[in-house]
Amino acid sequence: MAMVSFSNISIPFFSHHTNTHTHTQTNFYSHSSFPTCHEVFTFFSSKLNHSSVYNAPIITHNNLRDHSSVSKAFSSGDGGKFSGSGGGGGGGGDDGGGGEEEERDRNREEAMLVLAEAGRSLESFPADLAVAVKAGRVPGSIVQRFFEMEKSVVFRWLFKFGGFKERLLADDLFLSKLVMECVVVIFTKAAAELERRKENFTKEIDFVVANVVTGIVTGFVLVWFPAPTVSLKPPLAITAGLFTKFFYGCPENAFQVALAGTSYTLLQRIGAIVRNGAKLFVVGTGASLVGTSITNALINAQKTVNKEFSVENLPVISTSVAFGIFMVVVSNLRYQVLAGIIEQRILEPLLRRNKLMLTAAYFTVRNANTYWGSLLWVDFARWVGVQKIKG
């Protein structure tokens, strides 16, 4: 059992670094001049794309039912492409293309072996998954996971909805994380509000209600958007624009480990942060509009019943926009790091053989993250002036 190490990220600029994969490693030390911009992007994206913990296994009769092989299937492709190959985007680059093709051929062989073992054909698969298997974007371990999850009535039902299949195949505990986040956000937000507001908690109960209601809605999307996925996206139309082509190749999580046969450049990983930030601004602003409006409606109802009730209505537009900005600047990167680094790169390799301990670890870190985020929002709202301290 091993943990992913990031300690070797900085050394190749000064010494030769050996690469065990089939694609070529750029040796910066041997250059007579400073590394080019392309080389820098290639180097850092390849470091994010692979880890020794996630070398894709060859599926055989002996290890076919080894659950840990699913995690190991997340391996590297070549990190040096800028054409949008990540996530099965197609398009090749000049560096390491042969290595990625070899990994895709191996994926097809593994998947066919799993199908033969199960006595199934591709015709029995959902159309998007069948296409991904034929293209070599899905290793045999993911096909095996699909068979195992398909036995559950709940998972079989969720597979019918867009987005769930991609996330559940990448992480079989995704549904647990989703429920966990939406439930615990109520208690952690309330506790964080009490910690920050202290004796003003009851006086500022309108702020508290607005924040908790908004938190329930945003809790869902903050798990959904940055969750690592198995890419099952259909091919792009030939007439697709430049930005569409670029974001098509971006991962859902900037830090997720790429499946064998797939790679992401540094630009594509940055693109994941930008794209998710735009989505979170829209959702965060909309959720805050709903939450703030509900709170104001409750305040007005209370004023009608109790003439002595003197709580002011919340500023709807400014509060909502401020929360949208908070989601982009603070929550976006925080949840990307949580799902892509802390969970996928650290906790899963460390505890993947013990699902109970892994779930408990997820519960702990997500509770802590939600509580911390609630504290940060109270401070941010006061700092920008949309929620002032009441005397």
Side-chain angles (χ1 to χ4, degrees), residues 139-198:
S141 52
I142 297 297
V143 176
Q144 180 66 28
R145 172 175 279 177
F146 174 78
F147 288 153
E148 292 171 356
M149 300 187 78
E150 197 181 31
K151 297 174 185 176
S152 166
V153 176
V154 175
F155 288 137
R156 193 162 58 246
W157 177 68
L158 289 175
F159 280 162
K160 298 177 181 178
F161 298 95
F164 269 105
K165 190 189 307 109
E166 293 91 325
R167 287 165 174 81
L168 287 169
L169 289 178
D171 179 7
D172 56 353
L173 292 178
F174 169 73
L175 186 60
S176 299
K177 295 177 185 178
L178 197 61
V179 174
M180 192 185 303
E181 187 81 21
C182 293
V183 172
V184 303
V185 71
I186 299 172
F187 304 101
T188 53
K189 269 199 167 292
E193 296 283 338
L194 180 60
E195 166 64 24
R196 275 293 185 265
R197 302 185 192 279
K198 293 183 170 60

Short mmCIF file of all heavy atoms in Angstrom, two decimals, residues 139-198:
data_model
loop_
_atom_site.label_atom_id
_atom_site.label_comp_id
_atom_site.label_asym_id
_atom_site.label_seq_id
_atom_site.Cartn_x
_atom_site.Cartn_y
_atom_site.Cartn_z
N PRO A 139 -10.39 1.10 -19.75
CA PRO A 139 -9.70 -0.16 -19.48
C PRO A 139 -10.64 -1.24 -18.96
O PRO A 139 -11.78 -0.96 -18.58
CB PRO A 139 -8.67 0.23 -18.41
CG PRO A 139 -9.28 1.39 -17.72
CD PRO A 139 -10.05 2.13 -18.76
N GLY A 140 -10.15 -2.46 -18.92
CA GLY A 140 -10.97 -3.58 -18.50
C GLY A 140 -11.48 -3.46 -17.07
O GLY A 140 -12.57 -3.93 -16.74
N SER A 141 -10.70 -2.81 -16.21
CA SER A 141 -11.11 -2.67 -14.81
C SER A 141 -12.36 -1.81 -14.66
O SER A 141 -13.19 -2.05 -13.77
CB SER A 141 -9.97 -2.08 -13.98
OG SER A 141 -9.50 -0.89 -14.58
N ILE A 142 -12.53 -0.83 -15.54
CA ILE A 142 -13.73 0.01 -15.51
C ILE A 142 -14.93 -0.78 -16.01
O ILE A 142 -16.05 -0.66 -15.49
CB ILE A 142 -13.53 1.28 -16.35
CG1 ILE A 142 -12.41 2.14 -15.76
CG2 ILE A 142 -14.82 2.09 -16.43
CD1 ILE A 142 -12.68 2.66 -14.37
N VAL A 143 -14.72 -1.62 -17.01
CA VAL A 143 -15.80 -2.49 -17.50
C VAL A 143 -16.23 -3.45 -16.39
O VAL A 143 -17.43 -3.69 -16.19
CB VAL A 143 -15.34 -3.28 -18.74
CG1 VAL A 143 -16.42 -4.27 -19.19
CG2 VAL A 143 -14.99 -2.33 -19.88
N GLN A 144 -15.25 -4.00 -15.67
CA GLN A 144 -15.56 -4.88 -14.55
C GLN A 144 -16.36 -4.15 -13.48
O GLN A 144 -17.31 -4.69 -12.92
CB GLN A 144 -14.25 -5.42 -13.95
CG GLN A 144 -14.44 -6.36 -12.76
CD GLN A 144 -15.13 -7.65 -13.15
OE1 GLN A 144 -15.02 -8.09 -14.29
NE2 GLN A 144 -15.84 -8.25 -12.22
N ARG A 145 -16.00 -2.89 -13.21
CA ARG A 145 -16.75 -2.10 -12.22
C ARG A 145 -18.18 -1.89 -12.69
O ARG A 145 -19.12 -1.93 -11.89
CB ARG A 145 -16.06 -0.75 -11.98
CG ARG A 145 -16.87 0.20 -11.12
CD ARG A 145 -16.13 1.47 -10.79
NE ARG A 145 -15.20 1.24 -9.69
CZ ARG A 145 -14.37 2.18 -9.21
NH1 ARG A 145 -14.34 3.36 -9.76
NH2 ARG A 145 -13.57 1.89 -8.21
N PHE A 146 -18.36 -1.64 -13.98
CA PHE A 146 -19.71 -1.46 -14.52
C PHE A 146 -20.56 -2.70 -14.28
O PHE A 146 -21.72 -2.60 -13.86
CB PHE A 146 -19.64 -1.15 -16.02
CG PHE A 146 -20.99 -1.07 -16.69
CD1 PHE A 146 -21.79 0.05 -16.55
CD2 PHE A 146 -21.47 -2.14 -17.45
CE1 PHE A 146 -23.04 0.12 -17.15
CE2 PHE A 146 -22.71 -2.08 -18.05
CZ PHE A 146 -23.50 -0.94 -17.91
N PHE A 147 -19.99 -3.89 -14.51
CA PHE A 147 -20.72 -5.13 -14.28
C PHE A 147 -21.13 -5.27 -12.81
O PHE A 147 -22.25 -5.68 -12.50
CB PHE A 147 -19.87 -6.33 -14.69
CG PHE A 147 -19.71 -6.49 -16.18
CD1 PHE A 147 -18.60 -7.12 -16.71
CD2 PHE A 147 -20.67 -6.00 -17.05
CE1 PHE A 147 -18.45 -7.26 -18.08
CE2 PHE A 147 -20.53 -6.13 -18.42
CZ PHE A 147 -19.41 -6.77 -18.94
N GLU A 148 -20.22 -4.92 -11.92
CA GLU A 148 -20.49 -5.06 -10.48
C GLU A 148 -21.56 -4.08 -10.02
O GLU A 148 -22.46 -4.43 -9.25
CB GLU A 148 -19.20 -4.85 -9.69
CG GLU A 148 -18.18 -5.95 -9.90
CD GLU A 148 -16.84 -5.62 -9.27
OE1 GLU A 148 -16.68 -4.49 -8.74
OE2 GLU A 148 -15.93 -6.48 -9.31
N MET A 149 -21.49 -2.83 -10.50
CA MET A 149 -22.45 -1.81 -10.08
C MET A 149 -23.81 -2.02 -10.73
O MET A 149 -24.84 -1.63 -10.18
CB MET A 149 -21.92 -0.42 -10.40
CG MET A 149 -20.60 -0.09 -9.72
SD MET A 149 -20.08 1.62 -9.95
CE MET A 149 -21.14 2.45 -8.79
N GLU A 150 -23.81 -2.65 -11.90
CA GLU A 150 -25.06 -2.90 -12.62
C GLU A 150 -25.97 -3.86 -11.84
O GLU A 150 -27.18 -3.89 -12.06
CB GLU A 150 -24.72 -3.48 -13.99
CG GLU A 150 -25.85 -3.42 -15.00
CD GLU A 150 -25.45 -4.04 -16.32
OE1 GLU A 150 -24.61 -4.97 -16.30
OE2 GLU A 150 -25.96 -3.60 -17.36
N LYS A 151 -25.39 -4.64 -10.93
CA LYS A 151 -26.19 -5.58 -10.13
C LYS A 151 -27.10 -4.86 -9.14
O LYS A 151 -28.10 -5.41 -8.70
CB LYS A 151 -25.25 -6.52 -9.37
CG LYS A 151 -24.40 -7.40 -10.26
CD LYS A 151 -23.39 -8.20 -9.44
CE LYS A 151 -22.46 -9.00 -10.34
NZ LYS A 151 -21.40 -9.70 -9.55
N SER A 152 -26.76 -3.62 -8.79
CA SER A 152 -27.55 -2.83 -7.85
C SER A 152 -28.69 -2.14 -8.58
O SER A 152 -28.49 -1.50 -9.62
CB SER A 152 -26.68 -1.79 -7.15
OG SER A 152 -27.46 -0.82 -6.49
N VAL A 153 -29.88 -2.23 -8.04
CA VAL A 153 -31.05 -1.57 -8.64
C VAL A 153 -30.87 -0.06 -8.65
O VAL A 153 -31.20 0.62 -9.62
CB VAL A 153 -32.34 -1.94 -7.87
CG1 VAL A 153 -33.53 -1.18 -8.43
CG2 VAL A 153 -32.59 -3.45 -7.93
N VAL A 154 -30.31 0.47 -7.57
CA VAL A 154 -30.11 1.92 -7.45
C VAL A 154 -29.12 2.42 -8.51
O VAL A 154 -29.39 3.39 -9.23
CB VAL A 154 -29.60 2.29 -6.04
CG1 VAL A 154 -29.27 3.79 -5.96
CG2 VAL A 154 -30.64 1.92 -4.99
N PHE A 155 -27.96 1.75 -8.61
CA PHE A 155 -26.96 2.18 -9.58
C PHE A 155 -27.45 1.98 -11.01
O PHE A 155 -27.18 2.82 -11.88
CB PHE A 155 -25.65 1.42 -9.36
CG PHE A 155 -24.92 1.83 -8.11
CD1 PHE A 155 -24.34 0.88 -7.28
CD2 PHE A 155 -24.80 3.16 -7.77
CE1 PHE A 155 -23.67 1.25 -6.13
CE2 PHE A 155 -24.13 3.54 -6.62
CZ PHE A 155 -23.56 2.59 -5.80
N ARG A 156 -28.16 0.90 -11.25
CA ARG A 156 -28.69 0.65 -12.59
C ARG A 156 -29.66 1.76 -12.98
O ARG A 156 -29.70 2.19 -14.15
CB ARG A 156 -29.38 -0.72 -12.63
CG ARG A 156 -29.68 -1.20 -14.02
CD ARG A 156 -29.95 -2.71 -14.10
NE ARG A 156 -31.08 -3.10 -13.25
CZ ARG A 156 -30.97 -3.89 -12.19
NH1 ARG A 156 -29.79 -4.34 -11.81
NH2 ARG A 156 -32.02 -4.22 -11.48
N TRP A 157 -30.42 2.26 -12.02
CA TRP A 157 -31.35 3.36 -12.29
C TRP A 157 -30.58 4.67 -12.52
O TRP A 157 -30.89 5.42 -13.44
CB TRP A 157 -32.31 3.50 -11.11
CG TRP A 157 -33.27 4.65 -11.24
CD1 TRP A 157 -34.29 4.78 -12.13
CD2 TRP A 157 -33.27 5.85 -10.45
NE1 TRP A 157 -34.95 5.98 -11.94
CE2 TRP A 157 -34.35 6.65 -10.90
CE3 TRP A 157 -32.49 6.30 -9.40
CZ2 TRP A 157 -34.63 7.89 -10.35
CZ3 TRP A 157 -32.78 7.54 -8.84
CH2 TRP A 157 -33.84 8.32 -9.32
N LEU A 158 -29.55 4.92 -11.71
CA LEU A 158 -28.77 6.15 -11.84
C LEU A 158 -27.99 6.19 -13.15
O LEU A 158 -27.72 7.28 -13.68
CB LEU A 158 -27.81 6.31 -10.66
CG LEU A 158 -28.44 6.64 -9.31
CD1 LEU A 158 -27.39 6.64 -8.21
CD2 LEU A 158 -29.15 8.00 -9.36
N PHE A 159 -27.59 5.03 -13.66
CA PHE A 159 -26.86 4.98 -14.92
C PHE A 159 -27.66 5.55 -16.08
O PHE A 159 -27.10 5.89 -17.13
CB PHE A 159 -26.47 3.53 -15.25
CG PHE A 159 -25.26 3.04 -14.51
CD1 PHE A 159 -25.00 1.68 -14.41
CD2 PHE A 159 -24.38 3.93 -13.91
CE1 PHE A 159 -23.88 1.22 -13.73
CE2 PHE A 159 -23.26 3.49 -13.23
CZ PHE A 159 -23.01 2.13 -13.13
N LYS A 160 -28.98 5.68 -15.91
CA LYS A 160 -29.83 6.21 -16.98
C LYS A 160 -29.73 7.73 -17.08
O LYS A 160 -30.15 8.31 -18.08
CB LYS A 160 -31.30 5.83 -16.74
CG LYS A 160 -31.55 4.32 -16.75
CD LYS A 160 -33.01 4.01 -16.44
CE LYS A 160 -33.27 2.51 -16.41
NZ LYS A 160 -34.69 2.20 -16.07
N PHE A 161 -29.19 8.38 -16.05
CA PHE A 161 -29.12 9.83 -16.03
C PHE A 161 -27.72 10.31 -16.44
O PHE A 161 -26.71 9.78 -15.98
CB PHE A 161 -29.47 10.37 -14.64
CG PHE A 161 -30.86 10.02 -14.20
CD1 PHE A 161 -31.10 8.90 -13.41
CD2 PHE A 161 -31.94 10.80 -14.58
CE1 PHE A 161 -32.38 8.57 -13.00
CE2 PHE A 161 -33.23 10.49 -14.18
CZ PHE A 161 -33.45 9.37 -13.39
N GLY A 162 -27.71 11.32 -17.30
CA GLY A 162 -26.45 11.85 -17.77
C GLY A 162 -25.59 12.39 -16.64
O GLY A 162 -26.07 13.11 -15.77
N GLY A 163 -24.34 12.01 -16.66
CA GLY A 163 -23.41 12.49 -15.64
C GLY A 163 -23.16 11.50 -14.52
O GLY A 163 -22.04 11.40 -14.01
N PHE A 164 -24.19 10.76 -14.11
CA PHE A 164 -24.02 9.81 -13.01
C PHE A 164 -23.12 8.64 -13.42
O PHE A 164 -22.27 8.20 -12.63
CB PHE A 164 -25.37 9.27 -12.54
CG PHE A 164 -25.97 10.08 -11.43
CD1 PHE A 164 -27.04 10.94 -11.67
CD2 PHE A 164 -25.47 10.01 -10.14
CE1 PHE A 164 -27.59 11.70 -10.65
CE2 PHE A 164 -26.02 10.76 -9.11
CZ PHE A 164 -27.08 11.60 -9.37
N LYS A 165 -23.33 8.13 -14.63
CA LYS A 165 -22.54 6.96 -15.06
C LYS A 165 -21.05 7.29 -15.06
O LYS A 165 -20.23 6.52 -14.57
CB LYS A 165 -23.00 6.54 -16.45
CG LYS A 165 -22.40 5.20 -16.88
CD LYS A 165 -22.66 4.86 -18.35
CE LYS A 165 -24.10 4.92 -18.75
NZ LYS A 165 -24.40 6.06 -19.63
N GLU A 166 -20.68 8.45 -15.63
CA GLU A 166 -19.28 8.85 -15.72
C GLU A 166 -18.64 8.99 -14.34
O GLU A 166 -17.48 8.62 -14.14
CB GLU A 166 -19.16 10.18 -16.47
CG GLU A 166 -19.55 10.11 -17.94
CD GLU A 166 -21.02 10.42 -18.16
OE1 GLU A 166 -21.84 10.05 -17.28
OE2 GLU A 166 -21.36 11.02 -19.18
N ARG A 167 -19.39 9.52 -13.39
CA ARG A 167 -18.84 9.75 -12.05
C ARG A 167 -18.80 8.48 -11.21
O ARG A 167 -17.86 8.26 -10.45
CB ARG A 167 -19.66 10.85 -11.35
CG ARG A 167 -19.37 12.23 -11.92
CD ARG A 167 -20.41 13.27 -11.53
NE ARG A 167 -19.99 14.59 -11.99
CZ ARG A 167 -20.16 15.03 -13.24
NH1 ARG A 167 -20.74 14.26 -14.15
NH2 ARG A 167 -19.74 16.24 -13.58
N LEU A 168 -19.81 7.64 -11.33
CA LEU A 168 -19.85 6.40 -10.56
C LEU A 168 -18.81 5.40 -11.05
O LEU A 168 -18.24 4.64 -10.26
CB LEU A 168 -21.25 5.78 -10.63
CG LEU A 168 -22.34 6.50 -9.83
CD1 LEU A 168 -23.71 5.97 -10.21
CD2 LEU A 168 -22.10 6.36 -8.34
N LEU A 169 -18.55 5.38 -12.35
CA LEU A 169 -17.52 4.47 -12.87
C LEU A 169 -16.13 4.92 -12.45
O LEU A 169 -15.23 4.10 -12.28
CB LEU A 169 -17.62 4.39 -14.40
CG LEU A 169 -18.83 3.63 -14.96
CD1 LEU A 169 -18.82 3.67 -16.48
CD2 LEU A 169 -18.85 2.19 -14.46
N ALA A 170 -15.94 6.22 -12.28
CA ALA A 170 -14.65 6.73 -11.82
C ALA A 170 -14.48 6.57 -10.32
O ALA A 170 -13.37 6.41 -9.82
CB ALA A 170 -14.50 8.21 -12.21
N ASP A 171 -15.60 6.59 -9.59
CA ASP A 171 -15.55 6.51 -8.12
C ASP A 171 -16.84 5.87 -7.63
O ASP A 171 -17.90 6.48 -7.65
CB ASP A 171 -15.40 7.93 -7.55
CG ASP A 171 -15.36 7.95 -6.03
OD1 ASP A 171 -15.31 6.86 -5.41
OD2 ASP A 171 -15.37 9.05 -5.45
N ASP A 172 -16.73 4.62 -7.15
CA ASP A 172 -17.95 3.92 -6.72
C ASP A 172 -18.52 4.46 -5.42
O ASP A 172 -19.61 4.09 -5.00
CB ASP A 172 -17.70 2.42 -6.60
CG ASP A 172 -16.55 2.09 -5.65
OD1 ASP A 172 -15.85 3.02 -5.20
OD2 ASP A 172 -16.33 0.90 -5.37
N LEU A 173 -17.79 5.38 -4.76
CA LEU A 173 -18.31 6.02 -3.55
C LEU A 173 -18.82 7.44 -3.82
O LEU A 173 -19.08 8.19 -2.89
CB LEU A 173 -17.21 6.08 -2.47
CG LEU A 173 -16.78 4.73 -1.88
CD1 LEU A 173 -15.65 4.93 -0.87
CD2 LEU A 173 -17.96 4.04 -1.21
N PHE A 174 -18.98 7.77 -5.10
CA PHE A 174 -19.43 9.12 -5.44
C PHE A 174 -20.81 9.43 -4.85
O PHE A 174 -21.04 10.52 -4.33
CB PHE A 174 -19.48 9.29 -6.96
CG PHE A 174 -20.18 10.55 -7.40
CD1 PHE A 174 -19.57 11.78 -7.25
CD2 PHE A 174 -21.46 10.51 -7.94
CE1 PHE A 174 -20.22 12.96 -7.63
CE2 PHE A 174 -22.11 11.67 -8.33
CZ PHE A 174 -21.49 12.89 -8.17
N LEU A 175 -21.74 8.47 -4.93
CA LEU A 175 -23.08 8.70 -4.40
C LEU A 175 -23.04 8.94 -2.89
O LEU A 175 -23.77 9.80 -2.37
CB LEU A 175 -23.98 7.50 -4.71
CG LEU A 175 -25.46 7.65 -4.35
CD1 LEU A 175 -26.09 8.82 -5.09
CD2 LEU A 175 -26.23 6.36 -4.66
N SER A 176 -22.19 8.21 -2.19
CA SER A 176 -22.04 8.42 -0.74
C SER A 176 -21.55 9.83 -0.45
O SER A 176 -22.03 10.48 0.48
CB SER A 176 -21.06 7.39 -0.16
OG SER A 176 -21.52 6.08 -0.36
N LYS A 177 -20.60 10.30 -1.24
CA LYS A 177 -20.07 11.65 -1.06
C LYS A 177 -21.16 12.69 -1.30
O LYS A 177 -21.24 13.70 -0.58
CB LYS A 177 -18.90 11.90 -2.01
CG LYS A 177 -17.68 11.05 -1.77
CD LYS A 177 -16.63 11.33 -2.83
CE LYS A 177 -15.42 10.41 -2.69
NZ LYS A 177 -14.42 10.65 -3.76
N LEU A 178 -21.99 12.45 -2.31
CA LEU A 178 -23.04 13.40 -2.66
C LEU A 178 -24.06 13.53 -1.53
O LEU A 178 -24.42 14.64 -1.11
CB LEU A 178 -23.73 12.94 -3.94
CG LEU A 178 -24.58 13.95 -4.70
CD1 LEU A 178 -23.74 15.13 -5.14
CD2 LEU A 178 -25.23 13.28 -5.91
N VAL A 179 -24.54 12.38 -1.02
CA VAL A 179 -25.50 12.39 0.08
C VAL A 179 -24.87 12.97 1.33
O VAL A 179 -25.47 13.79 2.05
CB VAL A 179 -26.01 10.96 0.35
CG1 VAL A 179 -26.90 10.93 1.58
CG2 VAL A 179 -26.76 10.42 -0.86
N MET A 180 -23.63 12.57 1.59
CA MET A 180 -22.89 13.04 2.76
C MET A 180 -22.80 14.57 2.78
O MET A 180 -23.08 15.21 3.79
CB MET A 180 -21.48 12.43 2.68
CG MET A 180 -20.64 12.54 3.92
SD MET A 180 -18.97 11.89 3.56
CE MET A 180 -19.34 10.22 3.02
N GLU A 181 -22.44 15.13 1.65
CA GLU A 181 -22.25 16.59 1.57
C GLU A 181 -23.56 17.34 1.79
O GLU A 181 -23.61 18.32 2.51
CB GLU A 181 -21.67 16.95 0.20
CG GLU A 181 -21.27 18.40 0.05
CD GLU A 181 -19.92 18.72 0.65
OE1 GLU A 181 -19.12 17.79 0.81
OE2 GLU A 181 -19.69 19.91 0.95
N CYS A 182 -24.64 16.86 1.16
CA CYS A 182 -25.92 17.55 1.25
C CYS A 182 -26.54 17.47 2.65
O CYS A 182 -27.27 18.37 3.06
CB CYS A 182 -26.89 17.00 0.22
SG CYS A 182 -26.42 17.34 -1.49
N VAL A 183 -26.26 16.40 3.38
CA VAL A 183 -26.82 16.24 4.71
C VAL A 183 -26.00 17.00 5.76
O VAL A 183 -26.54 17.77 6.56
CB VAL A 183 -26.92 14.74 5.10
CG1 VAL A 183 -27.33 14.59 6.56
CG2 VAL A 183 -27.94 14.04 4.20
N VAL A 184 -24.69 16.78 5.73
CA VAL A 184 -23.86 17.38 6.78
C VAL A 184 -23.72 18.89 6.65
O VAL A 184 -23.39 19.57 7.61
CB VAL A 184 -22.45 16.74 6.82
CG1 VAL A 184 -22.52 15.26 7.02
CG2 VAL A 184 -21.66 17.08 5.57
N VAL A 185 -24.00 19.42 5.43
CA VAL A 185 -23.86 20.86 5.25
C VAL A 185 -24.79 21.63 6.18
O VAL A 185 -24.48 22.74 6.62
CB VAL A 185 -24.11 21.24 3.76
CG1 VAL A 185 -25.58 21.08 3.40
CG2 VAL A 185 -23.65 22.67 3.49
N ILE A 186 -25.94 21.04 6.51
CA ILE A 186 -26.90 21.71 7.41
C ILE A 186 -26.27 21.93 8.78
O ILE A 186 -26.31 23.03 9.34
CB ILE A 186 -28.18 20.87 7.53
CG1 ILE A 186 -28.85 20.71 6.17
CG2 ILE A 186 -29.14 21.52 8.52
CD1 ILE A 186 -30.02 19.74 6.17
N PHE A 187 -25.66 20.87 9.32
CA PHE A 187 -25.11 20.95 10.67
C PHE A 187 -23.79 21.73 10.71
O PHE A 187 -23.56 22.53 11.61
CB PHE A 187 -24.92 19.54 11.23
CG PHE A 187 -26.17 18.72 11.23
CD1 PHE A 187 -26.41 17.77 10.25
CD2 PHE A 187 -27.14 18.91 12.20
CE1 PHE A 187 -27.58 17.02 10.23
CE2 PHE A 187 -28.31 18.17 12.20
CZ PHE A 187 -28.52 17.22 11.21
N THR A 188 -22.93 21.48 9.71
CA THR A 188 -21.65 22.17 9.72
C THR A 188 -21.81 23.67 9.47
O THR A 188 -21.11 24.48 10.06
CB THR A 188 -20.71 21.58 8.66
OG1 THR A 188 -21.36 21.56 7.39
CG2 THR A 188 -20.30 20.17 9.03
N LYS A 189 -22.75 24.03 8.60
CA LYS A 189 -22.97 25.46 8.34
C LYS A 189 -23.56 26.14 9.58
O LYS A 189 -23.15 27.25 9.93
CB LYS A 189 -23.89 25.65 7.13
CG LYS A 189 -23.12 25.78 5.82
CD LYS A 189 -23.96 26.42 4.75
CE LYS A 189 -23.10 26.83 3.56
NZ LYS A 189 -22.17 27.91 3.87
N ALA A 190 -24.51 25.47 10.22
CA ALA A 190 -25.10 26.05 11.42
C ALA A 190 -24.04 26.21 12.52
O ALA A 190 -23.99 27.24 13.20
CB ALA A 190 -26.24 25.18 11.92
N ALA A 191 -23.17 25.20 12.68
CA ALA A 191 -22.11 25.28 13.68
C ALA A 191 -21.12 26.39 13.35
O ALA A 191 -20.67 27.13 14.25
CB ALA A 191 -21.39 23.94 13.78
N ALA A 192 -20.78 26.52 12.06
CA ALA A 192 -19.85 27.57 11.65
C ALA A 192 -20.46 28.96 11.84
O ALA A 192 -19.78 29.90 12.25
CB ALA A 192 -19.46 27.37 10.19
N GLU A 193 -21.76 29.08 11.54
CA GLU A 193 -22.44 30.36 11.75
C GLU A 193 -22.41 30.75 13.23
O GLU A 193 -22.17 31.91 13.59
CB GLU A 193 -23.89 30.25 11.26
CG GLU A 193 -24.05 30.01 9.77
CD GLU A 193 -23.84 31.25 8.94
OE1 GLU A 193 -23.98 32.36 9.50
OE2 GLU A 193 -23.51 31.12 7.75
N LEU A 194 -22.67 29.77 14.10
CA LEU A 194 -22.65 30.03 15.54
C LEU A 194 -21.26 30.43 16.01
O LEU A 194 -21.09 31.34 16.83
CB LEU A 194 -23.11 28.78 16.30
CG LEU A 194 -23.15 28.88 17.83
CD1 LEU A 194 -24.11 29.98 18.28
CD2 LEU A 194 -23.55 27.54 18.44
N GLU A 195 -20.23 29.78 15.47
CA GLU A 195 -18.85 30.09 15.84
C GLU A 195 -18.48 31.51 15.45
O GLU A 195 -17.84 32.23 16.22
CB GLU A 195 -17.91 29.09 15.14
CG GLU A 195 -16.44 29.46 15.16
CD GLU A 195 -15.84 29.49 16.55
OE1 GLU A 195 -16.38 28.81 17.46
OE2 GLU A 195 -14.85 30.21 16.75
N ARG A 196 -18.87 31.94 14.28
CA ARG A 196 -18.49 33.27 13.79
C ARG A 196 -19.36 34.39 14.39
O ARG A 196 -18.87 35.47 14.70
CB ARG A 196 -18.57 33.31 12.27
CG ARG A 196 -17.33 32.80 11.57
CD ARG A 196 -16.14 33.72 11.83
NE ARG A 196 -14.97 33.30 11.08
CZ ARG A 196 -14.00 32.54 11.52
NH1 ARG A 196 -14.07 32.05 12.76
NH2 ARG A 196 -12.97 32.23 10.77
N ARG A 197 -20.64 34.12 14.57
CA ARG A 197 -21.56 35.17 15.00
C ARG A 197 -21.71 35.24 16.51
O ARG A 197 -22.11 36.27 17.05
CB ARG A 197 -22.93 34.97 14.34
CG ARG A 197 -22.85 34.95 12.80
CD ARG A 197 -24.21 34.87 12.15
NE ARG A 197 -24.11 34.57 10.73
CZ ARG A 197 -23.84 35.47 9.79
NH1 ARG A 197 -23.64 36.73 10.11
NH2 ARG A 197 -23.76 35.09 8.51
N LYS A 198 -21.44 34.11 17.20
CA LYS A 198 -21.46 34.04 18.66
C LYS A 198 -22.75 34.62 19.24
O LYS A 198 -23.84 34.16 18.95
CB LYS A 198 -20.21 34.70 19.24
CG LYS A 198 -18.93 33.95 18.89
CD LYS A 198 -17.73 34.58 19.53
CE LYS A 198 -16.50 33.70 19.38
NZ LYS A 198 -16.10 33.42 18.01
#
